[in-house]
Amino acid sequence: MTQDIFELPGPEGNSIVGSLLDFGRDPLGFLTKCANEYGDIVPIRLGLTPACLLTNPNYIEQVLKDTNLFVKSRSLHALKTLLGEGIITSEGDSWFRQRRLMQPVFHQKRITSYGDIMVAYTEQMLDTWQDGESRDVHREMMRLTLNIVMKTIFNRDLSEGQAQDVAHALDVTSDWFESKRQQNFIFLEWFPRPENIRYKNAIKQMDKTIYEIISQRRASGENPGDLLSMLMVARDEEDGSQMSDRQLRDEIATLMLAGHETTSNTLTGAWILLSQYPEVRTQLLAELQQVLGGRSPTIADLPNLRYTDMVIKETMRVFPPVYNMARKAAQDCEIGGYQVPQDCTIIMSQWVMHRNPRYFQDPEVFKPERWANNLEKNLPRGVYFPFGDGPRICIGKSFALMEAVLLLATIAQKFELNLVPDHPIVPQASITLRPAFGVKVTLKQNTGVRSQSVI
């Protein structure tokens, strides 16, 4: 006979709201404490919502594989005002059709054509940097990756007014989601609070911008080879249908949020860790000098930038850009022989699993070399999953990894970034894992390294 998960030991919490306040105040600390103190499946009560945390990789793999039984959770549905029925939020047949339509857009050969854009925009940014000055590198990375995603989606530069509207909407969304977390995830969008009004107005302006661009593109019939063009011509292989303007808008909003936020946070994490571990930075520079010799990196260099790739993998382990994933049980079911009720929220935390000492020796230490000898393939599924797993694994994974390695290589060749002393580095669990107070660094130009622009 299977055991009900709520008969298992877990945090007691408040008699009225359970562990909602603890989770809302400090999600990372709360989930880590649960993982350390309890078993493979930890029952948690979040207000009126029954929930559980999974710390067994086999259970995590089971949930991420079965997209019919385990569907998207309530907290992600709160982003539907921004993302609509995009590939992240949609379910069932709608998701499957959109995924099928978008898959060719992210074919490896297609995304490699964006490598030169990524490097060129990075070098434009570096031209504005000066030796000895201080910058908020998180803000710099956010702007750079948004520049790149706007160019690859729309073939437009961020300096243009329309692109600024999009950037503003994404900033407001992150602030709005964080305010909801502080209010213990009470998503009352209709209530006329100032943050709700700002959020809705920003989305309205962003929608106006996106629909204008779609309309202009349809009227002109141009095909500049950007992602918008690819999405517009994509046809369903089964019924020949194409995306409506609304579907295009939802997928574009999804690509803009997912396509810049996670990469910028990964790169920000890399600069934090490289400043704290100078021996890793020395080894990274040695590889860059050996492979590139001061020239700009290209797609062709990626197979040889192995240590650079390991720095990115290890950064995503220590600071996973997505710290937490949640699903909801669509019906009563079993996980690992335990009975899970319908509507139970199932939490799987990259922050917890990526720092699990059962799978990573010295998990608090930044050691890129741990990824040598195919560690990622040798780990059980459900241990390291920065891009999720199963059928709903991030469709832009290859794009993001390529971008992170190229940007890291381009910047690290020219500048050393050192953390400003006493500036607090506090991970904030919002839509993604981001630094609560930015990351202030002092720039030090690497002498003797001259790069040749790809432009």
Side-chain angles (χ1 to χ4, degrees):
M1 184 175 173
T2 57
Q3 186 177 6
D4 190 295
I5 59 163
F6 291 99
E7 295 173 1
L8 296 171
E12 288 187 15
N14 182 290
S15 59
I16 299 173
V17 297
S19 298
L20 188 63
L21 296 176
D22 294 330
F23 183 60
R25 271 194 296 261
D26 180 15
L28 304 179
F30 174 74
L31 293 175
T32 300
K33 189 170 185 287
C34 287
N36 290 340
E37 293 184 4
Y38 303 104
D40 288 352
I41 184 165
V42 185
I44 303 168
R45 192 164 59 82
L46 301 174
L48 299 175
T49 305
C52 63
L53 170 68
L54 305 184
T55 63
N56 183 313
N58 295 327
Y59 301 172
I60 291 171
E61 183 187 4
Q62 177 192 341
V63 170
L64 293 179
K65 267 186 174 178
D66 194 337
T67 57
N68 293 320
L69 185 54
F70 303 105
V71 297
K72 293 287 183 168
S73 68
R74 187 174 67 95
S75 61
L76 194 62
H77 286 180
L79 284 175
K80 281 205 171 189
T81 304
L82 172 70
L83 304 180
E85 289 294 327
I87 198 167
I88 288 180
T89 51
S90 58
E91 297 281 4
D93 291 342
S94 171
W95 166 78
F96 186 70
R97 177 182 180 275
Q98 287 301 97
R99 179 88 184 196
R100 197 168 57 211
L101 274 170
M102 293 184 70
Q103 197 71 56
V105 174
F106 285 92
H107 189 276
Q108 191 68 39
K109 285 183 180 176
R110 283 194 184 274
I111 65 169
T112 54
S113 66
Y114 296 121
D116 287 352
I117 291 173
M118 294 170 179
V119 174
Y121 273 63
T122 306
E123 292 183 332
Q124 287 176 14
M125 177 194 74
L126 294 178
D127 286 342
T128 69
W129 286 14
Q130 299 294 323
D131 186 50
E133 71 177 347
S134 293
R135 296 226 174 200
D136 179 346
V137 75
H138 181 243
R139 186 178 297 165
E140 296 284 310
M141 294 300 101
M142 290 284 279
R143 184 174 180 85
L144 172 60
T145 56
L146 186 56
N147 259 317
I148 290 168
V149 84
M150 292 299 289
K151 185 68 174 178
T152 54
I153 294 176
F154 296 126
N155 196 32
R156 291 183 181 226
D157 294 318
L158 189 55
S159 56
E160 298 174 34
Q162 287 179 318
Q164 293 285 10
D165 292 335
V166 173
H168 175 66
L170 295 177
D171 280 343
V172 170
T173 298
S174 289
D175 293 342
W176 178 82
F177 199 85
E178 173 60 15
S179 74
K180 296 299 114 180
R181 186 184 69 75
Q182 291 173 357
Q183 295 162 23
N184 299 309
F185 296 98
I186 299 170
F187 294 100
L188 300 177
E189 280 181 58
W190 52 267
F191 194 75
R193 292 176 62 95
E195 70 267 23
N196 289 345
I197 294 168
R198 276 196 303 274
Y199 176 53
K200 290 207 164 185
N201 286 343
I203 302 297
K204 195 180 297 182
Q205 186 58 45
M206 185 191 76
D207 284 356
K208 180 173 176 287
T209 296
I210 293 175
Y211 282 123
E212 279 176 2
I213 295 172
I214 292 171
S215 176
Q216 289 163 6
R217 186 66 61 81
R218 287 204 190 280
S220 71
E222 293 175 357
N223 185 342
D226 55 18
L227 290 175
L228 173 59
S229 296
M230 294 181 204
L231 291 172
M232 289 177 77
V233 300
R235 287 187 179 275
D236 190 299
E237 59 190 32
E238 291 193 358
D239 61 17
S241 61
Q242 293 178 286
M243 290 191 206
S244 66
D245 284 3
R246 176 69 201 192
Q247 288 168 329
L248 286 169
R249 175 258 173 234
D250 291 349
E251 298 305 348
I252 287 165
T254 300
L255 289 175
M256 288 187 303
L257 178 69
H260 95 284
E261 179 102 8
T262 51
T263 306
S264 63
N265 291 341
T266 296
L267 287 164
T268 301
W271 302 126
I272 294 170
L273 293 163
L274 288 168
S275 177
Q276 293 171 337
Y277 291 82
E279 69 281 5
V280 174
R281 182 160 60 193
T282 299
Q283 195 164 338
L284 172 65
L285 282 174
E287 176 177 87
L288 297 177
Q289 185 60 37
Q290 180 186 351
V291 175
L292 304 174
R295 65 173 171 80
S296 301
T298 68
I299 293 295
D301 295 309
L302 292 178
N304 298 318
L305 294 172
R306 292 179 181 175
Y307 192 75
T308 312
D309 181 63
M310 288 192 280
V311 167
I312 293 297
K313 279 191 170 72
E314 178 72 345
T315 298
M316 291 192 296
R317 185 191 69 79
V318 178
F319 292 128
V322 177
Y323 68 95
N324 186 45
M325 301 180 76
R327 295 289 187 267
K328 185 177 73 172
Q331 61 188 56
D332 291 348
C333 60
E334 281 187 22
I335 298 176
Y338 297 102
Q339 210 148 24
V340 176
Q342 181 177 349
D343 293 331
C344 181
T345 296
I346 297 149
I347 301 167
M348 300 153 288
S349 171
Q350 289 94 329
W351 177 269
V352 167
M353 297 305 294
H354 291 191
R355 291 162 172 255
N356 191 323
R358 274 186 286 178
Y359 307 104
F360 299 104
Q361 187 178 12
D362 301 322
E364 300 299 320
V365 178
F366 182 57
K367 292 198 295 190
E369 58 273 14
R370 75 169 82 236
W371 295 98
N373 303 317
N374 279 328
L375 173 65
E376 188 171 3
K377 289 182 179 176
N378 293 327
L379 287 169
R381 299 283 285 270
V383 170
Y384 181 75
F385 52 110
F387 295 96
D389 203 355
R392 296 195 75 135
I393 192 169
C394 175
I395 197 170
K397 176 182 177 180
S398 296
F399 183 101
L401 287 173
M402 177 180 77
E403 182 180 23
V405 171
L406 287 174
L407 270 56
L408 181 66
T410 305
I411 297 168
Q413 274 198 115
K414 288 191 173 182
F415 284 92
E416 184 178 292
L417 283 63
N418 295 301
L419 293 172
V420 170
D422 302 324
H423 181 78
I425 304 295
V426 180
Q428 181 187 76
S430 183
I431 302 174
T432 58
L433 189 68
R434 46 168 36 205
F437 308 108
V439 176
K440 295 283 179 65
V441 297
T442 303
L443 304 177
K444 180 183 175 185
Q445 194 154 20
N446 289 332
T447 55
V449 177
R450 293 288 178 270
S451 130
Q452 300 160 359
S453 173
V454 297
I455 309 179

